[in-house]
Amino acid sequence: QVQLVESGGGLVQAGGSLRLSCAPSGLTVTSYGMGWFRQAPGKEREFVGAISRSYSIGYYADSVKGRFTISRDNAKNTVYLQMNSLKPEDTAVYYCAAVRPGYSTYKTAGSYAYWGQGTRVTVSS
């Protein structure tokens, strides 16, 4: 059984940083493309970024490009989302997800087979 567990969310002031972690069980992060999505209150879930299975290429939404970085620690079987220069509009529940084998459309939620339960990030102004 696959489970993705996010951690690292919390309350931070604008301009601050947080690092989210995603530690899957039942799958290895080297075998899957991994993505992060977020959902703010009253809004639809949106793509934040992803890291490809091969070559660890990062893909980012325009809204976070240059501020957020996705990385992968193969030894710890963990994917990270480093968030810098946080803004109040980054406030949301952040979800980690694993891409369906054979899919490479990282920005589409339907490309993902497994999802975590989410971790809340609140950025105060």
Side-chain angles (χ1 to χ4, degrees):
Q1 184 177 357
V2 175
Q3 282 190 312
L4 279 64
V5 180
E6 302 97 334
S7 61
L11 174 64
V12 63
Q13 288 189 330
S17 298
L18 280 176
R19 188 179 75 161
L20 306 184
S21 299
C22 174
S25 59
L27 67 81
T28 55
V29 296
T30 54
S31 298
Y32 288 79
M34 301 294 295
W36 288 92
F37 284 72
R38 67 186 182 188
Q39 187 166 18
K43 294 188 177 182
E44 294 187 352
R45 190 171 298 190
E46 65 173 358
F47 172 76
V48 174
I51 186 167
S52 67
R53 179 181 63 85
S54 302
Y55 308 113
S56 295
I57 298 173
Y59 302 87
Y60 300 94
D62 289 343
S63 58
V64 307
K65 202 171 293 183
R67 300 188 297 123
F68 291 11
T69 303
I70 294 176
S71 61
R72 184 168 59 199
D73 186 328
N74 297 340
K76 295 183 177 180
N77 198 41
T78 299
V79 175
Y80 301 100
L81 179 66
Q82 178 67 44
M83 305 186 295
N84 299 328
S85 302
L86 283 161
K87 305 175 181 180
E89 51 264 43
D90 294 319
T91 295
V93 176
Y94 283 72
Y95 299 89
C96 172
V99 177
R100 300 179 189 275
Y103 281 63
S104 59
T105 309
Y106 297 111
K107 297 183 178 181
T108 304
S111 295
Y112 294 80
Y114 305 105
W115 293 83
Q117 82 291 346
T119 185
R120 185 174 302 276
V121 172
T122 303
V123 184
S124 63
S125 56

